[in-house]
Amino acid sequence: LLPDGDFAIIERDNQLGSNALVKKIYRVDLANADFRTYNAADPADLALIDKMLLRDVLAELEVNSIWTPDKFEGLAVAADWTVFGVTDNDGLDDALGQTLFLNFGNLGDNPAGW
């Protein structure tokens, strides 16, 4: 939850290393979203929600990792509006085994300018 009541969400491409292109944090306004029951028979009935880019974190993940992680999956906004992100190392045989916990700084009173 952001200071103005909007929500922050993660968008990622599930790619790692030099294939990683999308690791971004967006804001969405759910209070004014058009929620409705989805009619699977009519794909045009799907409600869309506008999103605004808050921050592209790809470069920060690259410089803080041994290999750019694919799974930037966790995001938290603390009481003082400091934003933290975390990656999932999956714990699998072919995974890096590295978890990043990053401090992306403070949103302040103006998340649009963060």
Side-chain angles (χ1 to χ4, degrees):
L1 186 63
L2 299 174
D4 61 1
D6 285 356
F7 284 81
I9 60 169
I10 293 171
E11 182 174 296
R12 65 180 176 85
D13 55 8
N14 206 31
Q15 299 296 312
L16 69 146
S18 57
N19 292 327
L21 299 174
V22 179
K23 312 291 185 215
K24 298 178 180 182
I25 302 171
Y26 285 93
R27 72 181 298 145
V28 294
D29 176 5
L30 296 180
N32 295 306
D34 178 19
F35 288 105
R36 56 185 168 209
T37 303
Y38 173 62
N39 178 0
D42 182 9
D45 190 43
L46 184 62
L48 300 178
I49 299 173
D50 290 333
K51 63 184 181 181
M52 184 183 92
L53 180 65
L54 285 177
R55 190 176 187 125
D56 186 335
V57 298
L58 180 62
E60 290 166 276
L61 292 170
E62 287 175 344
V63 300
N64 286 287
S65 179
I66 55 176
W67 187 245
T68 306
D70 54 340
K71 297 195 174 181
F72 170 47
E73 293 186 340
L75 188 66
V77 181
D80 69 352
W81 306 120
T82 300
V83 179
F84 298 96
V86 66
T87 61
D88 178 3
N89 69 19
D90 277 346
L92 302 173
D93 289 340
D94 62 348
L96 293 175
Q98 179 190 36
T99 298
L100 296 179
F101 185 72
L102 299 170
N103 180 336
F104 294 125
N106 193 281
L107 286 169
D109 294 328
N110 182 17
W114 172 58

